[in-house]
Amino acid sequence: MCGIAGVVQSGGEPIDEQLLERMSASLAHRGPDDRGIRVWPDEGPTRGTACVGLVHRRLSIIDLTSAGHQPMSCPQDRFHIVFNGEIYNYLELREELTRLGWNFITQTDTEVLLAGWATWGQDALKRFTGMFAFAMLDGHERRLTLARDPFGIKPLYWARWRQGLAFASEIPTLLPLPGLSRQAHPQRLFDYICFGVSDHGDGSMLTSVHQVPAGHFMEIPLAPDVGGTVTPRNAQRYWTLPEPSPEKVTMNEAAARVREAFLESVRLHLRSDVPVGSALSGGIDSSAIVAAIRHVAGDAVELHAFSYVADDPRVSEERWIDMAAQAAGAMVHKVRLEPGALTDELDELIRSQGEPFAGTSIFAQRKVFELARSQGVKVLLDGQGADELLGGYPAMILARVASLLRQGRFFSARRLARTAAGMPGHEGVRLRGAISLIAPDLLRRAGRKLLRRPTVPPWLSPQWFHKHDVHTLPPRLERASGARVLHAQLRRFITRESLPQLLR
């Protein structure tokens, strides 16, 4: 990971470079290998144009030389970029751009991103396979563009402050800016406390801090409006999760296509000029990744896997970790946590997250990543999203029951609910739960009254939340057409709830 930040400042005053230095220092843990700052225009404030300060902290992965220094500019000095992430298909794009006449001077994927933008403009976003958050300054058009990868793997926050607008990879970098409010957003606060919702699309837990949504870009004209204010344009979507298109293929044909796509993804993710390892929990997804790395990279590569092992044998997955590591010929490194470790490091964990998070498993992940870093491994392949894609959570069975109810297959729905309720961890699968997924809000409110269930728990102040017009029902499913309740649930977990939470 790298860290990016910047300010857009109106008012005709030069940017305080000490402010940029402080933003850079706050992101030092994200990029210990190099740092860079640039202020534009070079000649200082220009009448009618806001000034821009760009900040970068580098974790060197591709082209470890000083040629990868950022902010990076194109030879014509029109475009300037700060970039966090990796473009996995940069070699293929580099070949295409070379044929179009681009002369590359580094081996970085950053230069490929810069050249792609200079060649194709915003259409370049649809060509990138990778995880990224970047700020692209166009000096000719006098415009700053913020963009984020399709799934929002890399973070990108922005906020208004006293003298304009600012952006950063982390919320704590923005908080010291003059005039920035730290007020919590009432609805998001309620949804987190009552339902565990910790990620909010284009928002955050703070009313003043926003996100560039996953799969979007946002333009910021550098000509302030009549009031002298820098006003960003609404974020524009460049990618959306495709609708399913059923095909008549056999199970074996479908499995072969998934396998081919999976192995190609792993092959691209292994592109690195530093050692690459893997996080290994012993589950199907991470075990498949370790096995795929061995298959793609061959037997000559030294493969390192990093795992958290619980002390309680009832929940420990060490047996499965060892089995997967042995099968892949991987050297496994394990971390075990001492009692009190979480409380000792809780303040730092909260600070680094910047917002409330869903559970303490994030601390175990943090310790796994620390272990990898101590072993000299900068990059880990860490599988997220398998349960969201393949329906691995109990809520997915509930959604399938709801689909059957929508189709009028009541006996099948009842049979599935009864079977699932007898499975460990699936005790919450009940017909009434499935009905609540497809019932209108009016009926759900009526059901709550009949069951005498309060909409606000007794340990919260209902007056405060009602005063702030907080909607107290659980977050609703995306509207499902026909009987496709399960599909709507999968989409919701991938785009709005589970996956964003895990990626953060």
Side-chain angles (χ1 to χ4, degrees), residues 129-149:
T129 298
M131 55 178 184
F132 53 83
F134 65 82
M136 183 73 71
L137 171 62
D138 184 340
H140 288 189
E141 295 293 331
R142 299 182 181 270
R143 176 177 61 224
L144 182 72
T145 301
L146 305 180
R148 198 167 174 212
D149 65 71

Side-chain angles (χ1 to χ4, degrees), residues 235-417:
Q236 300 178 56
R237 179 181 291 277
Y238 69 87
W239 184 90
T240 189
L241 190 66
E243 291 292 330
S245 93
E247 298 181 40
K248 292 184 178 179
V249 296
T250 67
M251 178 63 74
N252 287 339
E253 289 170 335
R257 287 164 63 172
V258 170
R259 181 178 186 273
E260 180 183 1
F262 178 61
L263 290 174
E264 174 64 8
S265 179
V266 170
R267 183 184 69 80
L268 291 177
H269 279 69
L270 289 176
R271 288 178 170 171
S272 171
D273 293 331
V274 297
V276 177
S278 181
L280 176 60
S281 69
I284 292 174
D285 45 5
S286 65
S287 300
I289 288 173
V290 171
I293 293 174
R294 175 59 69 206
H295 176 83
V296 170
D299 294 334
V301 173
E302 189 176 81
L303 176 54
H304 293 263
F306 299 86
S307 307
Y308 163 72
V309 177
D311 289 333
D312 189 340
R314 293 173 298 176
V315 296
S316 173
E317 297 175 309
E318 188 170 19
R319 173 190 173 193
W320 311 111
I321 291 168
D322 291 340
M323 183 184 298
Q326 183 178 4
M331 182 182 301
V332 62
H333 308 263
K334 300 173 184 176
V335 60
R336 291 176 168 85
L337 300 181
E338 296 294 327
L342 175 60
T343 53
D344 290 344
E345 299 184 40
L346 185 58
D347 286 347
E348 174 57 24
L349 180 64
I350 292 172
R351 191 215 66 79
S352 66
Q353 283 295 301
E355 295 186 90
F357 44 91
T360 55
S361 64
I362 202 168
F363 180 64
Q365 286 182 307
R366 178 186 179 90
K367 304 309 288 185
V368 166
F369 300 151
E370 283 183 2
L371 176 62
R373 178 67 176 177
S374 72
Q375 297 298 313
V377 177
K378 282 187 176 181
V379 178
L380 291 185
L381 301 196
D382 180 19
Q384 302 289 1
D387 289 302
E388 288 76 10
L389 284 170
L390 303 176
Y393 295 125
M396 305 307 184
I397 296 183
L398 199 65
R400 174 58 179 160
V401 173
S403 291
L404 292 171
L405 289 173
R406 274 252 177 104
Q407 296 169 26
R409 298 165 62 184
F410 303 113
F411 291 110
S412 295
R414 182 183 180 190
R415 183 168 59 248
L416 177 57

Side-chain angles (χ1 to χ4, degrees), residues 2 4 30 81-87 113 117 121-136 144-158 167-171 198-205 209-220 234-241 353 355 494-504:
C2 297
I4 65 172
R30 296 185 68 91
I81 188 174
V82 284
F83 162 49
N84 170 28
E86 186 172 348
I87 305 300
L113 193 164
W117 191 271
Q122 296 159 354
D123 288 341
L125 290 167
K126 299 176 183 178
R127 295 173 176 260
F128 298 146
T129 298
M131 55 178 184
F132 53 83
F134 65 82
M136 183 73 71
L144 182 72
T145 301
L146 305 180
R148 198 167 174 212
D149 65 71
F151 288 101
I153 299 172
K154 291 300 180 185
L156 189 53
Y157 298 93
W158 67 275
F167 64 91
S169 295
E170 296 185 1
I171 291 177
S198 59
D199 290 85
H200 313 282
D202 63 351
S204 75
M205 191 61 73
V209 178
H210 314 276
Q211 294 189 71
V212 177
H216 284 69
F217 68 89
M218 186 176 78
E219 293 182 337
I220 305 165
N234 291 335
Q236 300 178 56
R237 179 181 291 277
Y238 69 87
W239 184 90
T240 189
L241 190 66
Q353 283 295 301
E355 295 186 90
I494 291 170
T495 60
R496 289 170 45 193
E497 291 187 8
S498 177
L499 188 57
Q501 166 190 309
L502 291 171
L503 292 174
R504 183 154 66 86

